[in-house]
Amino acid sequence: MTEYFQDRSAIFESERILKESYTPNDLPEREEQLKRLGLEVLSPVLNDAPPHNAFLYGKPGQGKTAAARFLLEKLQEEVDERSGINLTTIFQTCKGHHSSYQVACDLVEQLTGDNPNGHPKRKVFARLYDALQEISGIIVIVLDEVDNIGNKDMILYELPRARDNGHIEDMDVSVIGISNDMTFYDELDPRAKDSLCEVEIHFPPYDADQLRSILDRRSKKAFVNSAVTQEAVALAAALAAQDLGSARQAIRYLYKAGEFAALNDESQVAEEHVRKAEDHVEQMNIAQSIRDLTTQDQLALLALTSLATRNETPAPTPEVYSRYTDITSHVDTNSIAMRRVRSHLHDLDMIGVVSGAKRSGGSRGGPKYYWELNTDFDTTVNVLTEENRFTDVLDLIDRP
Ligand code: ADP
Ligand code: MG
């Protein structure tokens, strides 16, 4: 092998198993949710009737997608063993989509191979119903990460009622909606709630023990026997449990830890690799959340970063604001009032990029906030200056 590549087989037995796309073939930690989905939602299918509509919700990384995929595959196996039942399942992620129009276009593309993007909404939906009608039998559409399209959107109302509304005949469409966002459900249009949420299934966050058994099963398949220590698995589970309780996060830590071990030509993944991996993954997450900020949020962050380089943090809001106006006078952007910059700083605090500490004794006796960076300085500067954004104000930031 050349110097450009590395043989990682001393660490990884089957690296694919650590990838996001891998669907596990058992989820004992979700027994309760799987039972409800099977017994209360999907069972009618085996009697040649459409399943109930359902809504699965919980924070990211709680096995919602994995559970739905797993059980629908199981259902298909059961159906295949019987004759006379015609079941089609369609998985559609709404990630990156902001409206049902885009989702409907994707569905048409999945069904016909042709994306109607650009056509009027009415036409797109007509094509969708035609395509569904072609299939006939029982159709289950899983709309994953459905919170992306907003809860005022009527697709959640329309699809489950397609038959009642005469869009399709002699067949049934059931919808399983999956959401990462708990408030999505609360704010859902009552009519959509009515038709979609016949059964609601909550996926509560995993605790450290559950994450540990998830990682145990996965790592036994993915890593070479004894290439990963018990301690490393326990640490990855504990770190993820303390943070979001997300299995996705725990698996990422362990995968990255394995990669660090492989890069160092070590034969075992140990706790130190997991710690390094956690740090790395969290920096990547922060970088992504900085990229996703609005311009005004980024400018407020830039102002604080610039104060941080001069050891002038924690800084009170007026000082951050004064730095902010210096910066906006150099870039082609409107500046906004101090009150709004303060509110941007609070938003940045919410996502963990900065932290604001309240101190008493503001000029009018109210609390006064002191702000500081909560992220690695280099990561912040590197991300803010990607694609040459803000490079002309970079000179204002003296790197330490
Ligand atoms: P969600 O859809 O809730 O965000 P996913 O279903 O995508 O979460 O799960 C995230 C990752 O964790 C996936 O790689 C999935 O295979 C894995 N996972 C989640 N729960 C379990 C479980 N109980 N057993 C095994 N793997 C799991
Ligand atoms: Mg998911």
Side-chain angles (χ1 to χ4, degrees), residues 71-81 85-89:
L71 209 61
L72 284 163
E73 273 167 32
K74 279 259 177 289
L75 180 67
Q76 191 65 57
E77 286 167 18
E78 292 279 339
V79 164
D80 291 345
E81 281 174 14
I85 306 173
N86 181 0
L87 169 72
T88 306
T89 18

Side-chain angles (χ1 to χ4, degrees), residues 292-353:
D292 294 341
L293 294 172
T294 63
T295 303
Q296 288 298 346
D297 278 336
Q298 290 182 340
L299 287 166
L301 180 60
L302 196 60
L304 194 64
T305 309
S306 140
L307 289 172
T309 56
R310 302 170 182 198
N311 288 325
E312 290 173 14
T313 49
T317 312
E319 275 174 39
V320 182
Y321 186 67
S322 140
R323 213 68 263 269
Y324 163 87
T325 49
D326 284 350
I327 291 171
T328 47
S329 67
H330 285 82
V331 294
D332 190 18
T333 321
N334 297 335
S335 61
I336 54 175
M338 180 152 93
R339 182 175 47 79
R340 291 192 42 215
V341 170
R342 185 190 298 123
S343 122
H344 284 287
L345 288 167
H346 281 292
D347 292 345
L348 294 171
D349 191 341
M350 289 276 289
I351 60 167
V353 175

Side-chain angles (χ1 to χ4, degrees), residues 25-37:
N25 50 18
D26 58 341
L27 297 101
E29 296 76 18
R30 288 309 186 204
E31 196 59 23
E32 191 187 321
Q33 287 75 12
L34 288 168
K35 278 218 171 97
R36 289 198 56 205
L37 186 59

Side-chain angles (χ1 to χ4, degrees), residues 24-58:
N25 50 18
D26 58 341
L27 297 101
E29 296 76 18
R30 288 309 186 204
E31 196 59 23
E32 191 187 321
Q33 287 75 12
L34 288 168
K35 278 218 171 97
R36 289 198 56 205
L37 186 59
L39 295 172
E40 295 176 37
V41 181
L42 299 174
S43 287
V45 174
L46 298 180
N47 213 9
D48 202 15
H52 296 291
N53 298 308
F55 184 68
L56 317 186
Y57 66 104

Side-chain angles (χ1 to χ4, degrees), residues 22 24 29 60-66 206 214 217-218 247-248 251:
Y22 172 82
E29 296 76 18
Q62 301 310 326
K64 300 182 297 296
T65 303
Y206 290 124
I214 292 170
R217 285 198 308 279
R218 196 91 152 214
R248 179 177 298 116
I251 293 165

Side-chain angles (χ1 to χ4, degrees), residues 5 7 13 15 22 35 55 57 73 90 92 94 112 122 169 191 216 221 230 258 289 330-331 337 365 395 399:
F5 303 113
D7 180 0
E13 168 84 38
E15 207 170 316
Y22 172 82
K35 278 218 171 97
F55 184 68
Y57 66 104
E73 273 167 32
I90 303 168
Q92 175 62 52
C94 306
T112 67
R122 207 173 24 82
E169 283 168 12
R191 284 169 297 173
D216 258 336
K221 291 183 187 153
Q230 287 285 315
S289 53
H330 285 82
V331 294
D395 304 339
R399 286 174 183 259

